[in-house]
Amino acid sequence: SYDSVTTQLVKCGQVCLNRLVKIILDDMSDQYKQIYTEEEWLNSDGTPQVTAIIATCSDYMSDFQEFLMPFWYTKFTSMILEEILLKYAYYILKHSDYINESDNCNENVILCDGDMVTFGRISKDVNAFNSFIMTNMPDAIHELIERIAPGKAGDVSPANGNGNGNSRPASAVLVE
């Protein structure tokens, strides 16, 4: 029947999007492995790992926007934006699990302490991600925020992620 064909098509599309997201995340693995290390992450100028992650993701998104139908591009955008944040959080929370010989990391990598400097770096990274996500968020998510909290969808914009620690995360809009 028509419904079963449609269901199978959507499942197939979802599998393809999952594979695209995995390929993109694999392409950014070197940047993620440097997160929460003292030399490459904490002592570097700016946020080079997050900047590289955002630039890579942005390039892929631009490329795929040309080839994917709007329905699939919206799903892809939501998936990739979610996954880059989840992977960042995972590396922050589980950093010691990634510093081992199986990841071909230098045995002399020094992990950061959980001090104010480290949290300041995390804040800069989060602000950069916030700005990128709010700029690239699918319209469907803006519409959802508007339905949940009328008049608040405009509050989640790049202007709120100014990089100096005064940003408001998207979740703050829903709990005010």
Side-chain angles (χ1 to χ4, degrees), residues 14 17-26 28 32 53 57 75-91 129 132-133:
Q14 191 68 36
L17 292 181
N18 287 335
R19 288 183 181 167
L20 289 175
V21 169
K22 183 180 179 338
I23 290 168
I24 295 167
L25 292 174
D26 288 347
M28 298 183 283
Y32 278 107
I53 290 167
C57 188
K75 289 181 83 56
F76 164 75
T77 302
S78 296
M79 289 172 65
I80 192 66
L81 294 177
E82 179 180 356
E83 290 299 322
I84 63 171
L85 285 181
L86 289 174
K87 192 164 184 177
Y88 177 82
Y90 189 76
Y91 271 82
F129 279 129
F132 176 67
I133 289 170

Side-chain angles (χ1 to χ4, degrees), residues 24 28 32 50-62 73 76-77 80-85 124-138 142 156-162:
I24 295 167
M28 298 183 283
Y32 278 107
V50 171
T51 300
I53 290 167
I54 288 171
T56 303
C57 188
S58 183
D59 288 345
Y60 276 110
M61 288 171 64
S62 294
Y73 182 73
F76 164 75
T77 302
I80 192 66
L81 294 177
E82 179 180 356
E83 290 299 322
I84 63 171
L85 285 181
K124 287 180 185 179
D125 289 351
V126 169
N127 286 336
F129 279 129
N130 185 43
S131 180
F132 176 67
I133 289 170
M134 294 307 129
T135 301
N136 293 284
M137 185 187 319
H142 281 290
V156 286
S157 67
N160 290 331
N162 57 18

Side-chain angles (χ1 to χ4, degrees), residues 84-147:
I84 63 171
L85 285 181
L86 289 174
K87 192 164 184 177
Y88 177 82
Y90 189 76
Y91 271 82
I92 292 292
L93 296 173
K94 299 285 189 178
H95 63 273
S96 60
D97 292 341
Y98 285 93
I99 308 303
N100 61 45
E101 294 175 28
S102 67
D103 284 334
N104 298 320
C105 291
N106 184 341
E107 292 177 354
N108 298 322
V109 171
I110 300 170
L111 298 175
C112 300
D113 292 324
D115 58 11
M116 292 306 289
V117 175
T118 303
F119 295 129
R121 173 46 57 106
I122 292 171
S123 177
K124 287 180 185 179
D125 289 351
V126 169
N127 286 336
F129 279 129
N130 185 43
S131 180
F132 176 67
I133 289 170
M134 294 307 129
T135 301
N136 293 284
M137 185 187 319
D139 291 337
I141 295 175
H142 281 290
E143 292 168 11
L144 176 63
I145 292 170
E146 188 60 35
R147 279 185 295 188

